Amino acid sequence: MNKYLDIAPEVKEALENNRPVVALESTIISHGMPYPQNVQTALAVEELIREAGAVPATIAIIGGRLKAGLTADEIEYLGKEGQNVAKTSRRDLPVLVALGRDGATTVATTMMIAHMAGISVFATGGIGGVHRGAETTMDISADLEEMAQTPVMVVCAGAKSILDLGLTLEYLETKGVPVIGYGTDELPAFYTRTSGFGVDYQLDSPEDIAKVFHARQELGLSGGMLVTNPVPEEYSMDPAVINTAIDQAVAEAEQQGIHGKKVTPFLLARIKEITGGDSLESNIALVRNNALLAAKTAIELSKLK
Ligand code: PSU
Ligand code: MN
């Protein structure tokens, strides 16, 4: 085992006995939602996964230690500190480990640490991707490169149109990452169930998702798989409202010269403000929905191993 990694006892026991485990990220806690909803959501999602019959493993870096599985106190700490905790992508890992610092893990680093721990299913809200205007800014999230090399399944609600969804799909195709629609043949756009872009494959059961991922593992293919799960109907937002808010936020980011790792948190926070907080309710509902699908899929996957 990696000497920098701590696996929580409950998670370790589940992994040793081939019981289903679902990884969860922490950037969504520190940078993706306001306090206290971030902590409430993180704890509720863990509970939901337990009720479904799997074990949750929220991932972060605490005092330079890579953690697979956090205590409620650690989740509370990450939520309360918010933006004070470093948003940690692949390039930041060695720095935080060497200097003993804290970090909130993005999709990329959560995949890395999940894989080190032996966890193959991970639930989140949305992933990073190719940003609008990337042809000049070259802003492409490290999440995509991680999907290309690390064998973890990521269950998300598609991608927000703060990204260029078409280019994001092209990138994933080039890198050999299967994009699955759960019960849909269209890529969901996070707050809304449709985007106008098709996915590679529609699968209609956790069992089929598990079978595809298992085959990918047995074939020895590198990289992960993206499962996109539409936000529940009753929580989906009016496309006109959300798209206007996104366009405004993207324009402001450009005017203010926001770049690098600040772009995504800036856009998420502005969208929340512009929609008067309406987007938060939908955000929480889709994270819960993804956690449940991930738990069911992890259960099916454990039957195949
Ligand atoms: N998209 C969301 N909510 C989030 C993120 C993305 O809807 O919280 C976070 C995730 O942790 C993701 C990260 O991995 O932002 C991507 O950041 P960047 O675009 O800087 O790679
Ligand atoms: Mn970026």
Side-chain angles (χ1 to χ4, degrees):
M1 198 182 80
N2 192 303
K3 70 176 193 180
Y4 298 108
L5 175 67
D6 295 331
I7 305 182
E10 183 193 12
V11 175
K12 193 157 192 260
E13 207 215 306
L15 291 168
E16 281 168 0
N17 294 293
N18 186 35
R19 287 187 39 230
V21 177
V22 175
L24 299 161
E25 63 151 308
S26 46
T27 291
I28 191 176
I29 303 175
S30 298
H31 299 256
M33 287 185 196
Y35 182 80
Q37 288 93 336
N38 53 1
V39 172
Q40 286 160 4
T41 304
L43 295 174
V45 161
E46 287 208 342
E47 198 44 47
L48 204 62
I49 290 171
R50 283 201 182 90
E51 279 166 15
V55 172
T58 302
I59 289 178
I61 301 157
I62 310 269
R65 302 291 303 170
L66 312 181
K67 298 277 184 188
L70 299 181
T71 63
D73 284 348
E74 286 168 332
I75 290 176
E76 169 76 22
Y77 165 75
L78 291 173
K80 223 170 194 166
E81 285 298 309
Q83 312 271 339
N84 294 331
V85 180
K87 177 181 160 189
T88 308
S89 196
R90 175 174 266 268
R91 63 155 180 201
D92 307 295
L93 264 195
V95 182
L96 299 196
V97 165
L99 303 181
R101 293 188 186 162
D102 300 330
T105 52
T106 61
V107 168
T109 33
T110 303
M111 289 177 77
M112 291 172 72
I113 297 170
H115 180 53
M116 284 177 200
I119 303 168
S120 28
V121 179
F122 162 23
T124 186
I127 59 158
V130 180
H131 278 261
R132 293 197 206 166
E135 56 281 13
T136 48
T137 62
M138 288 184 72
D139 189 352
I140 300 172
S141 174
D143 291 353
L144 296 186
E145 199 58 42
E146 208 58 51
M147 295 287 313
Q149 57 178 305
T150 302
V152 170
M153 179 199 308
V154 180
V155 181
C156 70
K160 286 196 179 75
S161 50
I162 59 172
L163 303 174
D164 186 317
L165 301 184
L167 292 186
T168 300
L169 289 173
E170 291 293 349
Y171 195 98
L172 290 167
E173 180 184 355
T174 301
K175 295 292 182 174
V177 179
V179 178
I180 308 298
Y182 180 60
T184 178
D185 60 0
E186 230 184 279
L187 179 75
F190 199 86
Y191 297 120
T192 56
R193 293 171 61 85
T194 55
S195 66
F197 291 93
V199 291
D200 302 331
Y201 297 97
Q202 172 174 344
L203 296 178
D204 298 323
S205 68
E207 191 187 349
D208 280 350
I209 297 172
K211 270 161 57 184
V212 172
F213 187 73
H214 187 63
R216 195 172 162 79
Q217 302 283 73
E218 294 216 303
L219 285 164
L221 301 176
S222 64
M225 182 167 117
L226 190 62
V227 177
T228 65
N229 185 26
V231 60
E233 193 89 58
E234 63 272 34
Y235 290 100
S236 84
M237 294 185 71
D238 178 348
V241 170
I242 192 66
N243 289 331
T244 306
I246 289 172
D247 288 346
Q248 187 185 330
V250 169
E252 287 177 12
E254 208 171 305
Q255 280 154 19
Q256 296 178 34
I258 309 282
H259 63 268
K261 69 199 278 186
K262 294 206 177 93
V263 173
T264 299
F266 175 88
L267 294 174
L268 297 178
R270 277 303 287 143
I271 292 163
K272 217 173 308 156
E273 285 166 14
I274 298 165
T275 61
D278 280 359
S279 59
L280 186 59
E281 202 188 342
S282 142
N283 202 341
I284 292 169
L286 65 86
V287 172
R288 294 174 62 93
N289 193 42
N290 295 342
L292 201 56
L293 176 59
K296 289 178 186 165
T297 306
I299 290 167
E300 293 302 325
L301 194 61
S302 68
K303 293 180 193 162
L304 298 173
K305 282 189 193 154

